[in-house]
Amino acid sequence: MKSRLISIMGAPSSGKSTLASQIHSELKRTGKNSIFVTEAATDFIAEYGVPDSPLDQMIIFYKQLNRERMYLGTKDYVICDSSSLLNYFYFRSLFSSKLTNKEIATINHMQKEILKTINYWSSIYYVNPILDNTEDGIRFQDKDQIIKLDRCIRSYLDIENIEYTDLSDIKLEDRVKYVLESL
């Protein structure tokens, strides 16, 4: 079985989880063999608190990566409300601007692991932040940090020439239909 790995990518407060869940539900409703993969970071935060070190983010990265790959070959659609790629932006933000050689090696390792995963993704959908609600029940996000992270995500996707579909101009209520039609 060839699985289609689908990622909803965006900053906090962008509706990633809601959109991914709705896509999964609609696929299931139409008889498709689909699984919804939740964000490993949410579980980490609930168990250990907000990740505040590069090691925390590496743990989340590998947990997310394992979740994404667990269903490959067993489901037609693997729908992720985030992706291991998203952890890189949180990971990278935990380093100062002046890096030690050890920090450079750590960042290079993470970057290499991320680039190795790119070929697994069938589709990446970018969603822009919705800044009128920045509390998701587990953590509160600062609007300025959301905007900065959003810029980093889009810039990285563009710089690394990662193919993605930008849903920013699609109305919220039309996004599920748009994604399903594109699958």
Side-chain angles (χ1 to χ4, degrees), residues 65-103:
L65 189 62
N66 288 335
R67 285 181 181 194
E68 294 163 5
R69 291 186 179 169
M70 182 183 333
Y71 300 103
L72 292 179
T74 65
K75 300 288 183 183
D76 292 322
Y77 296 93
V78 180
I79 311 296
C80 301
D81 77 338
S82 184
S83 75
S84 49
L85 175 59
L86 190 58
N87 293 97
Y88 178 75
F89 306 106
Y90 291 101
F91 167 81
R92 187 62 180 91
S93 71
L94 295 169
F95 292 93
S96 66
S97 58
K98 187 164 174 87
L99 300 170
T100 67
N101 287 339
K102 184 177 179 180
E103 289 170 333

Side-chain angles (χ1 to χ4, degrees), residues 24-155:
H24 165 67
S25 294
E26 190 59 26
L27 286 169
K28 293 298 271 186
R29 190 188 71 70
T30 60
K32 303 290 192 275
N33 185 7
S34 174
I35 188 77
F36 173 53
V37 177
T38 59
E39 194 176 5
T42 301
D43 296 344
F44 186 94
I45 291 167
E47 189 169 355
Y48 304 110
V50 175
D52 59 3
S53 74
L55 179 59
D56 290 346
Q57 288 299 336
M58 285 188 85
I59 291 168
I60 294 168
F61 169 78
Y62 282 110
K63 284 181 178 282
Q64 187 70 37
L65 189 62
N66 288 335
R67 285 181 181 194
E68 294 163 5
R69 291 186 179 169
M70 182 183 333
Y71 300 103
L72 292 179
T74 65
K75 300 288 183 183
D76 292 322
Y77 296 93
V78 180
I79 311 296
C80 301
D81 77 338
S82 184
S83 75
S84 49
L85 175 59
L86 190 58
N87 293 97
Y88 178 75
F89 306 106
Y90 291 101
F91 167 81
R92 187 62 180 91
S93 71
L94 295 169
F95 292 93
S96 66
S97 58
K98 187 164 174 87
L99 300 170
T100 67
N101 287 339
K102 184 177 179 180
E103 289 170 333
I104 292 168
T106 304
I107 292 167
N108 284 339
H109 169 78
M110 180 69 107
Q111 175 71 357
K112 181 178 86 174
E113 291 299 307
I114 286 168
L115 292 175
K116 288 182 351 188
T117 70
I118 298 303
N119 291 334
Y120 286 101
W121 294 100
S122 302
S123 302
I124 297 174
Y125 295 92
Y126 164 79
V127 290
N128 56 308
I130 304 165
L131 296 173
D132 59 347
N133 181 17
T134 57
E135 188 171 341
D136 69 4
I138 294 193
R139 58 195 171 225
F140 178 80
Q141 304 289 343
D142 175 83
K143 286 184 182 185
D144 291 335
Q145 288 183 340
I146 290 172
I147 292 167
K148 182 179 178 182
L149 184 61
D150 180 62
R151 272 195 319 266
C152 290
I153 291 167
R154 290 192 64 168
S155 296

